[in-house]
Amino acid sequence: MTERVEIKDTFGELQERLKGSKDSFGRLMREVVNSGVCTHCGACVATCDFLIWDEVAERPKLVGKCTGCGVCYVQCPRTIIAPRDLIGRYQSAYTGRSLIPEIKGQDGGVVTALLLYALEKKLIDCAVVTAKSTEEPWKPVVKIVTTREELLKTSGSVYSHSQTLIGLIDAIKQGYHSIGFVGTPCNIDAVYKMWKAPFGLVRLYMRANILAIGLFCMDSFSYEGLRSFLELNKISMSDIEKMTIKKGKMQFIQKNGEILEVKVHDLDRYRSSSCQFCTDLTSENADISVGSVGSPEGYSTILARTGIGLEILLDAAEAGYIELQPMPRSKMKWVFNLARMKKAQQYTVRTRRRFILGYEEPTPTPPPGGELIEAKGEIKDTGTIIKDAAARTKMIKFSNLNLSSDQKEIEFKLINNSGNSLENITVKISHITEFFEDHKWFTNIDVWYPFEELEFSYPRVKENENEYLCEIKDRFGTIFTRKIEIKKLLAKLEKAKQSK
Ligand SMILES: Cc1cc2nc3c(=O)[nH]c(=O)nc-3n(C[C@H](O)[C@H](O)[C@H](O)COP(=O)(O)OP(=O)(O)OC[C@H]3O[C@@H](n4cnc5c(N)ncnc54)[C@H](O)[C@@H]3O)c2cc1C
Ligand code: SF4
Ligand code: SF4
Ligand code: SF4
């Protein structure tokens, strides 16, 4: 007779083991189901008595009180759980700081102290690092440094892409063979490819030894974007002493001691587009990785990955350049959590398509009798259309209704909030009077990706303006309508202006 498996006991044991984790059914819904990557396998439903499979919505459904134990989350084939899958291979994790008083690092100053040790002990002939431009404050510039004085000027983080690989190849061309290199995870991936892949330039033609020190990295921003954001806040780039990102907030610390703090999310429009598609938080291909998450203020979190990385780290500590302590397991969980957020981002990328609508002059008007006239709209679609399987649901979110700065266009966003791709969609926007519909504009969307935002900019009619209508149809009929009452919108904007 086969032995009966007691699911209840196993479930309880797993709950006990996962105690304190932040995983829950809500997280599973957010990361997997709502983002449209659920495979409909039913593993979560099979796990928990509070879950059933909703045949209509084709998704798991909670029918009891979720305790947030996370057992369903860890069963799902789409979630990433194992430490190695989250932050790559590493031999040891430490928290540490520089013991060199002149180093004023971003966090613990460990990166600069390690490079100093390697330069002074002649383990490397130069270091390829990123400094701030003296002509354009906070613009990243790559430097090849060989002395203590030069190196000390390059500590600190610059939150914009730096062309570090140009510096690396320049250093090799200048005849340096042992090179310390610092970069973000995407920079480290470029080094890895050029150095280790079969057709890599460095591997084939430019033999060199590279000590790759990778930074942790969640985002970087356009330099011009950050500059204009600060200008809007009446701050010049040259007034900034330091920028930091901690716990979802970016701080701009000014030389006069004042701090402008904003949510990183509020800087989304300036975020480099590449970062939305990035899943490596901790520079998984580096020899040593360094970041701040998990360590107290003034300390860095350090992962020694390769043999040479670990050796140099321990030697630098023995020689008195840095102080090291093993990273407590309880603190590593912050690194894993942030890494998981970044990995899950691949499922939650919100693509955007922008539609700027315009009519040919003169604006067509309805003829007597009310026959509808098709307006000739010029459509600019700057996005890519993603082909994907789809299911039909009726969940559209209408948001960000506003007027353009010159008040000539009505702007709004439509978000496919259904969690599924929607196919063969027609969006119609028109002006409506009591009896007629005019200035109609249509667009067809082959596939509307889950959570994809469609941005619209629709020109207001110049004469006898009344109301507008947005209507969305799929092949089965109308799935969304929304009347835009322009008078109400104008009154709301006026009120907001007066209360400022
Ligand atoms: C764009 C960016 C985003 C980051 N995001 C996070 C995050 O989300 N979480 C986290 O824990 N840590 C993040 N970090 C890492 C963190 O800011 C520190 O760099 C890290 O903790 C090392 O601190 P330190 O005091 O030891 O380094 P320091 O001794 O101050 O040395 C910093 C080194 O970084 C190099 N550097 C600075 N800017 C760049 C750049 N743009 N590109 C390449 N190299 C550069 C410098 O050359 C210098 O060698 C980020 C860093 C950057 C550059
Ligand atoms: S109680 Fe059930 S639904 Fe809630 S997290 Fe635990 S396993 Fe998932
Ligand atoms: S376990 Fe994950 S993939 Fe499977 S049905 Fe549940 S949410 Fe979907
Ligand atoms: S988030 Fe990724 S792509 Fe963006 S700077 Fe960091 S490592 Fe590079």
Side-chain angles (χ1 to χ4, degrees), residues 126-200:
C126 76
V128 175
V129 285
T130 296
K132 291 154 214 132
S133 157
T134 41
E135 289 86 43
E136 291 177 87
W138 288 93
K139 189 161 195 162
V141 277
V142 186
K143 296 256 166 175
I144 301 168
V145 298
T146 53
T147 65
R148 183 184 182 108
E149 291 67 37
E150 287 171 336
L151 178 70
L152 292 184
K153 290 183 199 149
T154 67
S155 60
S157 296
V158 187
Y159 290 101
S160 301
H161 280 308
S162 164
Q163 286 69 52
T164 49
L165 273 292
I166 299 179
L168 178 66
I169 298 302
D170 274 355
I172 297 173
K173 285 180 182 164
Q174 286 173 31
Y176 295 109
H177 288 292
S178 290
I179 301 166
F181 174 92
V182 184
T184 50
C186 51
N187 296 164
I188 297 292
D189 282 349
V191 173
Y192 187 80
K193 208 156 190 183
M194 292 183 91
W195 192 24
K196 303 271 164 87
F199 298 104

XYZ file of all heavy atoms in Angstrom, residues 126-200:
576
model
N 46.502 50.154 -13.346
C 45.621 51.323 -13.417
C 44.210 50.902 -13.021
O 43.924 49.702 -12.940
C 45.611 51.912 -14.831
S 44.633 50.955 -15.999
N 43.373 51.916 -12.790
C 41.951 51.621 -12.520
C 41.100 52.450 -13.468
O 41.399 53.620 -13.716
C 41.616 51.957 -11.071
N 40.067 51.802 -14.010
C 39.126 52.514 -14.885
C 37.878 52.819 -14.042
O 37.167 51.915 -13.603
C 38.755 51.642 -16.109
C 37.683 52.324 -16.948
C 39.999 51.358 -16.940
N 37.676 54.103 -13.787
C 36.614 54.519 -12.866
C 35.800 55.660 -13.481
O 36.140 56.166 -14.549
C 37.227 54.975 -11.512
C 37.682 53.810 -10.679
C 38.369 55.957 -11.747
N 34.769 56.079 -12.760
C 33.910 57.152 -13.262
C 33.952 58.331 -12.294
O 33.718 58.144 -11.092
C 32.464 56.641 -13.403
O 32.463 55.619 -14.397
C 31.508 57.746 -13.822
N 34.238 59.505 -12.836
C 34.267 60.705 -11.981
C 33.213 61.680 -12.474
O 32.536 61.436 -13.471
C 35.652 61.338 -12.061
N 33.079 62.813 -11.760
C 32.131 63.843 -12.211
C 32.895 64.860 -13.047
O 33.990 65.279 -12.663
C 31.508 64.538 -11.007
C 30.583 63.636 -10.252
C 30.466 64.045 -8.801
C 30.280 62.833 -7.921
N 31.127 62.754 -6.758
N 32.291 65.279 -14.155
C 32.941 66.255 -15.026
C 33.150 67.564 -14.280
O 32.295 67.975 -13.484
C 32.046 66.482 -16.252
O 32.321 67.709 -16.834
N 34.270 68.224 -14.549
C 34.487 69.522 -13.899
C 33.765 70.627 -14.682
O 33.358 71.633 -14.117
C 35.993 69.846 -13.802
O 36.604 69.457 -15.029
C 36.643 69.132 -12.648
N 33.582 70.418 -15.999
C 32.887 71.446 -16.811
C 31.368 71.376 -16.617
O 30.705 72.385 -16.503
C 33.165 71.259 -18.311
C 34.584 71.601 -18.736
C 35.515 70.422 -18.551
O 35.108 69.292 -18.906
O 36.646 70.610 -18.047
N 30.836 70.148 -16.632
C 29.382 69.992 -16.481
C 29.123 69.161 -15.228
O 29.216 67.925 -15.271
C 28.806 69.259 -17.697
C 28.858 70.067 -18.967
C 28.338 69.248 -20.132
O 27.126 69.251 -20.350
O 29.166 68.592 -20.794
N 28.819 69.838 -14.108
C 28.716 69.123 -12.830
C 27.764 67.937 -12.892
O 26.671 68.041 -13.438
C 28.163 70.196 -11.872
C 28.432 71.501 -12.538
C 28.510 71.260 -14.003
N 28.189 66.815 -12.357
C 27.439 65.566 -12.263
C 27.296 64.819 -13.583
O 26.576 63.835 -13.669
C 26.064 65.762 -11.601
C 26.277 66.007 -10.148
C 26.404 67.240 -9.543
C 26.489 65.033 -9.121
N 26.675 67.082 -8.200
C 26.722 65.733 -7.924
C 26.507 63.638 -9.097
C 26.971 65.091 -6.723
C 26.752 62.995 -7.897
C 26.980 63.724 -6.724
N 27.996 65.290 -14.614
C 28.029 64.483 -15.837
C 29.116 63.422 -15.633
O 30.241 63.762 -15.256
C 28.353 65.371 -17.031
C 28.193 64.635 -18.329
C 28.047 65.564 -19.482
C 27.526 64.761 -20.643
N 26.970 65.560 -21.673
N 28.807 62.121 -15.848
C 29.841 61.107 -15.619
C 30.939 61.149 -16.679
O 30.627 61.296 -17.873
C 29.067 59.786 -15.696
C 27.800 60.093 -16.398
C 27.517 61.560 -16.271
N 32.183 61.059 -16.242
C 33.290 60.938 -17.200
C 34.192 59.788 -16.765
O 34.497 59.634 -15.580
C 34.162 62.226 -17.314
C 33.581 63.232 -18.245
C 34.442 62.836 -15.978
N 34.596 59.010 -17.746
C 35.444 57.856 -17.431
C 36.883 58.311 -17.284
O 37.354 59.152 -18.055
C 35.361 56.814 -18.574
C 36.117 55.559 -18.203
C 33.936 56.478 -18.860
N 37.587 57.744 -16.297
C 38.999 58.130 -16.059
C 39.835 56.867 -15.925
O 39.380 55.859 -15.359
C 39.113 58.893 -14.739
C 38.376 60.210 -14.707
C 39.359 61.331 -14.835
C 38.606 62.566 -15.143
N 38.975 63.749 -15.251
N 41.055 56.990 -16.437
C 42.038 55.922 -16.180
C 42.981 56.507 -15.136
O 43.652 57.508 -15.412
C 42.819 55.576 -17.470
C 41.832 55.115 -18.558
C 43.880 54.522 -17.203
C 42.446 55.028 -19.950
N 42.994 55.949 -13.939
C 43.827 56.548 -12.876
C 44.932 55.587 -12.457
O 44.753 54.363 -12.481
C 42.976 56.957 -11.651
C 41.950 58.009 -12.004
C 42.287 55.754 -11.013
N 46.066 56.193 -12.084
C 47.202 55.355 -11.697
C 47.781 55.761 -10.335
O 48.649 55.077 -9.807
C 48.336 55.458 -12.751
O 48.619 56.835 -12.942
C 47.956 54.824 -14.074
N 47.325 56.890 -9.802
C 47.910 57.347 -8.530
C 46.835 57.502 -7.461
O 45.652 57.622 -7.763
C 48.579 58.730 -8.695
O 47.544 59.685 -8.999
C 49.621 58.738 -9.797
N 47.304 57.537 -6.212
C 46.409 57.713 -5.059
C 45.605 59.009 -5.198
O 44.381 59.024 -5.002
C 47.299 57.760 -3.806
C 46.554 57.866 -2.503
C 47.547 57.994 -1.347
N 46.871 58.039 -0.087
C 46.848 57.067 0.805
N 47.502 55.956 0.584
N 46.200 57.203 1.948
N 46.293 60.110 -5.570
C 45.638 61.430 -5.655
C 44.504 61.387 -6.684
O 43.416 61.863 -6.434
C 46.645 62.531 -6.068
C 47.691 62.869 -5.029
C 48.669 61.715 -4.772
O 49.033 60.998 -5.736
O 49.041 61.498 -3.600
N 44.815 60.801 -7.847
C 43.778 60.734 -8.901
C 42.598 59.872 -8.436
O 41.446 60.229 -8.630
C 44.352 60.098 -10.178
C 45.306 60.984 -10.942
C 46.000 60.204 -12.065
O 46.118 58.947 -11.983
O 46.437 60.845 -13.012
N 42.926 58.747 -7.802
C 41.873 57.803 -7.410
C 40.923 58.411 -6.380
O 39.700 58.259 -6.477
C 42.508 56.517 -6.852
C 41.508 55.469 -6.363
C 40.750 54.854 -7.536
C 42.200 54.377 -5.569
N 41.492 59.126 -5.400
C 40.641 59.650 -4.320
C 39.564 60.607 -4.828
O 38.529 60.773 -4.194
C 41.505 60.355 -3.256
C 42.413 59.431 -2.441
C 43.147 60.194 -1.352
C 41.633 58.287 -1.818
N 39.829 61.215 -6.009
C 38.831 62.154 -6.550
C 37.660 61.445 -7.227
O 36.741 62.096 -7.702
C 39.498 63.076 -7.589
C 40.456 64.069 -6.969
C 41.009 64.967 -8.061
C 42.280 65.628 -7.590
N 43.223 65.880 -8.665
N 37.708 60.118 -7.310
C 36.677 59.423 -8.118
C 35.678 58.635 -7.281
O 34.882 57.888 -7.833
C 37.344 58.448 -9.119
O 37.973 57.400 -8.377
C 38.339 59.145 -10.013
N 35.732 58.789 -5.940
C 34.755 58.021 -5.157
C 33.374 58.672 -5.299
O 33.257 59.799 -5.775
C 35.187 57.954 -3.692
O 35.268 59.261 -3.186
N 32.355 57.977 -4.889
C 30.971 58.499 -4.968
C 30.247 57.994 -6.195
O 30.873 57.622 -7.186
N 28.905 57.990 -6.112
C 28.086 57.469 -7.229
C 27.533 58.597 -8.084
O 27.098 59.611 -7.570
C 26.902 56.665 -6.681
O 27.369 55.547 -6.003
N 27.558 58.355 -9.386
C 26.926 59.276 -10.340
C 25.790 58.468 -10.962
O 26.020 57.409 -11.545
C 27.928 59.694 -11.444
C 27.309 60.771 -12.329
C 29.235 60.170 -10.840
N 24.560 58.964 -10.850
C 23.406 58.151 -11.240
C 23.017 58.301 -12.710
O 21.845 58.436 -13.042
C 22.226 58.442 -10.309
C 22.463 57.912 -8.916
C 22.862 58.752 -7.887
C 22.317 56.559 -8.636
C 23.102 58.256 -6.607
C 22.560 56.051 -7.373
C 22.946 56.902 -6.359
O 23.190 56.406 -5.113
N 24.000 58.308 -13.591
C 23.732 58.323 -15.032
C 24.699 57.354 -15.694
O 25.791 57.113 -15.164
C 23.951 59.717 -15.621
O 23.123 60.649 -14.992
N 24.309 56.843 -16.873
C 25.162 55.888 -17.586
C 26.535 56.491 -17.886
O 26.630 57.623 -18.359
C 24.541 55.511 -18.930
C 23.458 54.487 -18.825
N 23.603 53.297 -18.166
C 22.203 54.472 -19.329
C 22.486 52.589 -18.267
N 21.618 53.275 -18.955
N 27.555 55.689 -17.646
C 28.929 56.122 -17.930
C 29.524 55.158 -18.965
O 29.338 53.939 -18.854
C 29.718 56.038 -16.615
O 31.087 56.074 -16.841
N 30.237 55.702 -19.948
C 30.752 54.835 -21.030
C 32.074 54.189 -20.577
O 33.151 54.435 -21.124
C 30.953 55.632 -22.327
C 29.647 55.974 -23.039
C 28.814 56.984 -22.271
O 29.326 58.030 -21.915
N 27.570 56.687 -21.981
N 31.979 53.351 -19.573
C 33.168 52.785 -18.938
C 33.973 51.879 -19.867
O 35.177 51.736 -19.695
C 32.751 51.966 -17.707
O 31.686 51.103 -18.101
C 32.275 52.854 -16.583
N 33.295 51.275 -20.849
C 34.019 50.332 -21.718
C 34.987 51.054 -22.645
O 36.023 50.504 -23.043
C 33.023 49.478 -22.511
C 32.546 48.203 -21.811
C 33.706 47.214 -21.685
C 31.930 48.438 -20.454
N 34.656 52.317 -22.972
C 35.591 53.105 -23.795
C 36.874 53.304 -22.984
O 37.990 53.164 -23.490
C 34.951 54.452 -24.213
C 33.703 54.185 -25.055
C 35.964 55.336 -24.957
C 32.953 55.430 -25.520
N 36.694 53.570 -21.687
C 37.853 53.728 -20.798
C 38.667 52.444 -20.706
O 39.900 52.469 -20.742
N 37.975 51.309 -20.616
C 38.685 50.028 -20.482
C 39.533 49.747 -21.722
O 40.722 49.394 -21.619
C 37.674 48.898 -20.252
C 38.287 47.513 -20.147
C 39.150 47.383 -18.905
C 37.217 46.426 -20.139
N 38.933 49.924 -22.894
C 39.678 49.610 -24.128
C 40.814 50.622 -24.313
O 41.925 50.253 -24.730
C 38.731 49.555 -25.344
C 37.690 48.439 -25.140
C 39.497 49.339 -26.660
C 38.230 47.045 -24.918
N 40.577 51.894 -23.953
C 41.654 52.893 -24.004
C 42.824 52.463 -23.128
O 43.991 52.570 -23.512
C 41.149 54.261 -23.500
C 40.505 55.061 -24.623
O 40.553 54.586 -25.774
O 39.948 56.139 -24.324
N 42.486 51.980 -21.919
C 43.549 51.567 -20.983
C 44.363 50.428 -21.591
O 45.600 50.415 -21.521
C 42.934 51.144 -19.656
N 43.676 49.482 -22.232
C 44.393 48.345 -22.852
C 45.259 48.859 -24.002
O 46.432 48.474 -24.147
C 43.397 47.262 -23.325
C 42.656 46.688 -22.117
C 44.121 46.154 -24.070
C 41.520 45.728 -22.461
N 44.689 49.786 -24.810
C 45.459 50.333 -25.940
C 46.672 51.108 -25.450
O 47.694 51.182 -26.124
C 44.570 51.250 -26.780
C 43.572 50.498 -27.649
C 42.737 51.483 -28.428
C 41.698 50.785 -29.280
N 40.663 51.709 -29.735
N 46.554 51.720 -24.264
C 47.688 52.471 -23.725
C 48.749 51.541 -23.122
O 49.752 51.997 -22.592
C 47.214 53.463 -22.666
C 46.493 54.673 -23.252
C 45.885 55.557 -22.158
O 46.423 55.644 -21.052
N 44.768 56.192 -22.469
N 48.487 50.235 -23.133
C 49.508 49.270 -22.713
C 49.352 48.766 -21.294
O 50.222 48.067 -20.778
N 48.225 49.093 -20.629
C 48.018 48.545 -19.282
C 47.534 47.105 -19.406
O 46.677 46.804 -20.240
C 46.989 49.385 -18.513
C 47.460 50.792 -18.244
C 46.900 51.883 -18.910
C 48.484 51.039 -17.321
C 47.329 53.178 -18.664
C 48.930 52.329 -17.073
C 48.347 53.386 -17.748
O 48.797 54.651 -17.505
N 48.061 46.229 -18.565
C 47.691 44.814 -18.666
C 46.848 44.324 -17.507
O 46.005 43.463 -17.664
C 48.954 43.941 -18.756
C 49.622 44.084 -20.072
N 49.075 43.625 -21.238
C 50.796 44.665 -20.420
C 49.876 43.909 -22.251
N 50.924 44.545 -21.773
N 47.127 44.900 -16.313
C 46.331 44.500 -15.138
C 45.501 45.697 -14.735
O 46.044 46.723 -14.308
C 47.253 44.097 -13.991
O 47.870 42.893 -14.325
N 44.214 45.546 -14.917
C 43.341 46.723 -14.806
C 42.228 46.474 -13.788
O 41.541 45.450 -13.840
C 42.713 47.031 -16.194
C 43.827 47.294 -17.210
C 41.747 48.208 -16.126
C 43.373 47.281 -18.648
N 42.073 47.429 -12.889
C 40.917 47.391 -11.978
C 39.787 48.122 -12.697
O 39.993 49.210 -13.229
N 38.612 47.557 -12.735
C 37.493 48.168 -13.482
C 36.290 48.250 -12.556
O 35.954 47.290 -11.868
C 37.156 47.295 -14.693
C 35.938 47.764 -15.447
C 36.053 48.648 -16.512
C 34.651 47.340 -15.077
C 34.921 49.098 -17.196
C 33.522 47.778 -15.749
C 33.662 48.666 -16.816
N 35.632 49.415 -12.535
C 34.406 49.561 -11.726
C 33.251 49.892 -12.648
O 33.361 50.763 -13.515
C 34.543 50.702 -10.688
C 33.290 50.761 -9.805
C 35.779 50.523 -9.825
N 32.135 49.220 -12.450
C 30.963 49.527 -13.287
C 29.672 48.992 -12.702
O 29.677 48.201 -11.750
N 28.592 49.456 -13.288
C 27.255 48.965 -12.930
C 27.096 47.550 -13.507
O 27.897 47.130 -14.349
C 26.207 49.910 -13.547
O 26.527 50.075 -14.924
C 26.181 51.252 -12.860
N 26.054 46.817 -13.108
C 25.894 45.452 -13.640
C 25.907 45.384 -15.168
O 26.474 44.450 -15.747
C 24.525 45.034 -13.080
C 24.390 45.824 -11.820
C 25.037 47.137 -12.075
N 25.313 46.385 -15.832
C 25.298 46.340 -17.307
C 26.715 46.555 -17.855
O 27.090 45.962 -18.863
C 24.315 47.361 -17.886
S 24.514 49.033 -17.255
N 27.506 47.389 -17.183
C 28.909 47.578 -17.582
C 29.689 46.270 -17.393
O 30.481 45.866 -18.241
C 29.606 48.635 -16.722
C 29.038 50.031 -16.848
O 29.301 50.885 -16.017
N 28.254 50.291 -17.885
N 29.443 45.615 -16.254
C 30.159 44.373 -15.953
C 29.789 43.299 -16.984
O 30.646 42.519 -17.422
C 29.840 43.901 -14.506
C 30.326 44.939 -13.484
C 30.423 42.521 -14.225
C 31.815 45.124 -13.350
N 28.529 43.293 -17.422
C 28.118 42.328 -18.456
C 28.885 42.577 -19.757
O 29.250 41.633 -20.459
C 26.613 42.449 -18.739
C 25.790 41.766 -17.663
O 26.387 41.049 -16.838
O 24.564 41.962 -17.645
N 29.103 43.862 -20.069
C 29.851 44.191 -21.295
C 31.293 43.699 -21.173
O 31.848 43.116 -22.118
C 29.806 45.692 -21.548
N 31.891 43.895 -19.998
C 33.273 43.412 -19.785
C 33.297 41.896 -19.937
O 34.145 41.324 -20.634
C 33.775 43.789 -18.357
C 35.124 43.150 -18.076
C 33.844 45.288 -18.202
N 32.333 41.258 -19.292
C 32.263 39.797 -19.304
C 32.205 39.290 -20.747
O 32.918 38.370 -21.132
C 31.032 39.361 -18.515
C 30.933 37.876 -18.314
C 31.675 37.231 -17.326
C 30.108 37.105 -19.124
C 31.588 35.869 -17.143
C 30.025 35.732 -18.946
C 30.766 35.120 -17.952
O 30.693 33.771 -17.780
N 31.362 39.948 -21.545
C 31.189 39.503 -22.930
C 32.466 39.727 -23.744
O 32.919 38.857 -24.478
C 30.028 40.270 -23.560
C 29.351 39.517 -24.640
C 27.947 40.004 -24.829
C 27.206 39.079 -25.752
N 25.875 39.540 -26.015
N 33.058 40.925 -23.597
C 34.253 41.239 -24.398
C 35.450 40.397 -23.980
O 36.389 40.184 -24.739
C 34.603 42.720 -24.250
C 33.593 43.639 -24.879
S 34.098 45.355 -24.763
C 34.998 45.576 -26.275
N 35.414 39.928 -22.740
C 36.585 39.253 -22.174
C 36.451 37.731 -22.212
O 37.409 37.008 -22.436
C 36.717 39.737 -20.726
C 37.982 39.396 -20.039
C 39.189 39.121 -20.611
C 38.163 39.306 -18.640
N 40.123 38.872 -19.641
C 39.511 38.987 -18.419
C 37.341 39.488 -17.541
C 40.051 38.828 -17.145
C 37.875 39.334 -16.268
C 39.218 39.004 -16.080
N 35.209 37.248 -22.016
C 35.040 35.798 -21.856
C 34.325 35.114 -23.024
O 34.447 33.916 -23.197
C 34.251 35.498 -20.572
C 34.862 36.063 -19.290
C 35.837 35.086 -18.680
C 36.758 35.705 -17.634
N 36.253 35.739 -16.305
N 33.541 35.863 -23.807
C 32.768 35.213 -24.871
C 33.674 34.888 -26.063
O 34.689 35.573 -26.274
C 31.626 36.119 -25.306
N 33.330 33.863 -26.875
C 34.218 33.404 -27.954
C 34.663 34.508 -28.913
O 35.789 34.490 -29.385
C 33.368 32.367 -28.690
C 32.311 31.961 -27.742
C 32.124 33.052 -26.749
N 33.797 35.486 -29.204
C 34.184 36.537 -30.149
C 34.539 37.842 -29.460
O 34.562 38.896 -30.082
C 33.061 36.749 -31.174
C 32.807 35.511 -31.993
C 31.714 34.714 -31.749
C 33.727 35.135 -32.966
C 31.508 33.557 -32.488
C 33.527 33.968 -33.706
C 32.415 33.177 -33.464
N 34.789 37.788 -28.168
C 35.100 39.004 -27.418
C 36.423 39.608 -27.866
O 37.426 38.915 -28.040
